[in-house]
Amino acid sequence: MYKSSFRKRLQSACSWFQKSFWRTGAVKNQAISLEYQAARRYTTRNRPIGPLERIIMRQHGPWGILASTEVYRDPWIRLVKDDVVRPDGQPGTYCVAHLKPGVSVLALDEQQNAYLTEEFHYGVARTTLETASGGIDSGETPLVAAKRELHEELGVTARKWTDLGTVDPFTANVVSPTQLFLAQDLSFGKPQPEGSELIRCLKVPFADVVKMAMDGRISHAPSVALVLKVGRLLEC
Amino acid sequence: MYKSSFRKRLQSACSWFQKSFWRTGAVKNQAISLEYQAARRYTTRNRPIGPLERIIMRQHGPWGILASTEVYRDPWIRLVKDDVVRPDGQPGTYCVAHLKPGVSVLALDEQQNAYLTEEFHYGVARTTLETASGGIDSGETPLVAAKRELHEELGVTARKWTDLGTVDPFTANVVSPTQLFLAQDLSFGKPQPEGSELIRCLKVPFADVVKMAMDGRISHAPSVALVLKVGRLLEC
């Protein structure tokens, strides 16, 4: 009983100490406290985890986190490397890329035509067909971001919105939940792409869009999930 | 005519020079050539792109890449930052995370039961339901990796395999194509999870798995895409 309470206090003290320093910005991309450095020495030397590490370790499911270091950050991507104790008790490292949460929107008109984007995507280095997709800006709700992206990329505004849930493109090494929307009752304006975007709008009968998702012509996973979800809902 | 030929020769010389140095490993995580350094100065100073940069620039769709720097690398994730000329001609940077290509496998028995994994996933920091998924090891074909993952995670071997195409969990900032498979005609053994894996196998009627993909209980995008693709194929 006493031991557990002592451990909790020490943990909360460590956590306060760490947070305060992060907040003040005194130390930015470095794990700072002496305990953390000790822990890092242990993990890098591949030694078994000692009693001090057990105390300062932050539990993360079956994993223990001894130290977190921000390896890289820009407005789109943040890479964090953790020194960890694996579920089997062995030391190791685990690196996670954090991206902005995102939205994907399928715009569907009354004649069951869908509106897709055709755009060169930097990562996969080819032109892909996708539903209108983008990141949620700070302060935006997913719905506001969805409305903005649909207008920016396709010049479309919609009066009827259906939330089709969230998908996680990855669950292990990348964090970027993507909320899916069906947009109906459309009106059309002029697209306003950002400087880095060259987007062509494609009007395709929805039945063909489903075929494209099935045969791989649409490969962007959130778009595939969204199209097939809508296909099931509309039974087409 | 002469100008274009000269430009091409210069580009190929730059490219050869750069590749040779990368290959020898003399310079690892740094952009090396003098031209590259000049280019980086231009982009970081936010100046317009000059004639020298236009020559050494490598075209990447509507983008131009002036220099590439590997920011981070471990066996699971590699982060590369490019100094670029955006499609609108402005200088900038673009960072892409490269993950191992992966596979996702839906195992389905003759009574239309699916076998899912229930595992804590580090990135999203919660226990998720997924189809058997993992990375393709070096030298493996996607099918070999799929067979290995299915056996390691669920202890299942299958005699009938259907390739359901590839999805890209992301297309812009992350590269990690994931190949989808349906595995049938199953036999069951003992799972052999890796040291960092604590996996529970769930046997669920396939009709319920489809409901889980629809209502968000399954959120892993490749799993959702795979389940809904199989749902359409089997018409259930």
Side-chain angles (χ1 to χ4, degrees), chain B residues 52-63:
Chain B
L52 179 62
E53 288 69 43
R54 293 239 169 268
I55 290 172
I56 60 166
M57 193 166 77
R58 177 160 57 87
Q59 209 59 39
H60 186 76
W63 300 71

Side-chain angles (χ1 to χ4, degrees), chain A residues 60 62 65 82 84 88 120-126 130 167-172 175-176 195 210 213 219 221 229 232 236, chain B residues 60 62 65 82 84 88 120-126 130 167-172 175-176 195 210 213 219 221 229 232 236:
Chain A
H60 186 75
I65 301 179
D82 294 342
V84 298
D88 62 358
F120 178 88
H121 277 93
Y122 196 96
V124 295
R126 65 172 197 274
E130 300 183 7
V167 290
D168 295 295
F170 286 94
T171 51
V175 184
S176 173
V210 173
S219 73
K229 277 190 177 194
R232 261 198 108 74
C236 62
Chain B
H60 186 76
I65 301 178
D82 294 341
V84 298
D88 63 357
F120 178 89
H121 277 93
Y122 197 96
V124 295
R126 64 172 198 276
E130 300 183 7
V167 290
D168 295 296
F170 286 94
T171 52
V175 184
S176 173
V210 173
S219 73
K229 278 190 176 193
R232 265 198 103 76
C236 60

Side-chain angles (χ1 to χ4, degrees), chain B residues 25-218:
Chain B
V27 180
K28 263 179 193 162
N29 296 338
Q30 291 282 343
I32 42 152
S33 70
L34 286 175
E35 294 92 330
Y36 266 41
Q37 288 180 20
R40 299 198 73 186
R41 272 201 297 281
Y42 265 88
T43 54
T44 47
R45 281 184 195 168
N46 234 23
R47 281 193 197 167
I49 308 304
L52 179 62
E53 288 69 43
R54 293 239 169 268
I55 290 172
I56 60 166
M57 193 166 77
R58 177 160 57 87
Q59 209 59 39
H60 186 76
W63 300 71
I65 301 178
L66 295 164
S68 288
T69 314
E70 192 176 88
V71 178
Y72 178 81
R73 177 200 277 263
D74 70 22
W76 301 276
I77 197 164
R78 192 167 67 91
L79 197 70
V80 178
K81 184 182 172 188
D82 294 341
D83 291 307
V84 298
V85 180
R86 304 192 323 186
D88 63 357
Q90 292 302 307
T93 61
Y94 207 112
C95 204
V96 177
H98 298 259
L99 276 74
K100 267 187 187 178
V103 291
S104 268
V105 185
L106 180 71
L108 203 63
D109 69 13
E110 282 163 24
Q111 291 78 44
Q112 301 284 321
N113 292 306
Y115 296 82
L116 303 177
T117 62
E118 190 185 59
E119 186 188 3
F120 178 89
H121 277 93
Y122 197 96
V124 295
R126 64 172 198 276
T127 299
T128 59
L129 277 174
E130 300 183 7
T131 54
S133 303
I136 301 174
D137 287 340
S138 142
E140 278 185 335
T141 63
L143 182 58
V144 169
K147 287 178 177 176
R148 179 181 52 72
E149 284 293 340
L150 190 61
H151 189 248
E152 276 178 12
E153 296 197 344
L154 298 175
V156 172
T157 41
R159 274 171 295 274
K160 187 181 168 195
W161 288 85
T162 313
D163 181 344
L164 293 175
T166 303
V167 290
D168 295 296
F170 286 94
T171 52
N173 290 92
V174 182
V175 184
S176 173
T178 302
Q179 190 123 357
L180 309 178
F181 290 97
L182 170 63
Q184 288 168 298
D185 201 350
L186 312 178
S187 46
F188 298 86
K190 206 174 138 49
Q192 293 165 336
E194 294 177 56
S196 61
E197 292 180 328
L198 285 174
I199 300 174
R200 204 160 76 96
C201 172
L202 251 74
K203 179 179 172 180
V204 186
F206 182 65
D208 292 345
V209 176
V210 173
K211 281 181 201 155
M212 287 171 167
M214 288 297 288
D215 66 16
R217 275 175 289 167
I218 298 175

Side-chain angles (χ1 to χ4, degrees), chain A residues 52-116:
Chain A
L52 179 61
E53 288 70 42
R54 294 238 169 269
I55 290 171
I56 60 166
M57 191 167 77
R58 179 160 56 87
Q59 209 59 39
H60 186 75
W63 301 72
I65 301 179
L66 295 164
S68 288
T69 314
E70 192 176 89
V71 178
Y72 178 82
R73 176 199 279 264
D74 70 21
W76 301 276
I77 196 163
R78 192 167 66 92
L79 196 69
V80 178
K81 184 182 171 188
D82 294 342
D83 291 306
V84 298
V85 180
R86 305 192 321 187
D88 62 358
Q90 292 301 307
T93 61
Y94 207 113
C95 203
V96 176
H98 298 259
L99 276 73
K100 266 185 187 179
V103 291
S104 267
V105 185
L106 179 70
L108 203 63
D109 69 14
E110 281 163 25
Q111 291 77 44
Q112 302 283 322
N113 292 306
Y115 296 83
L116 302 177

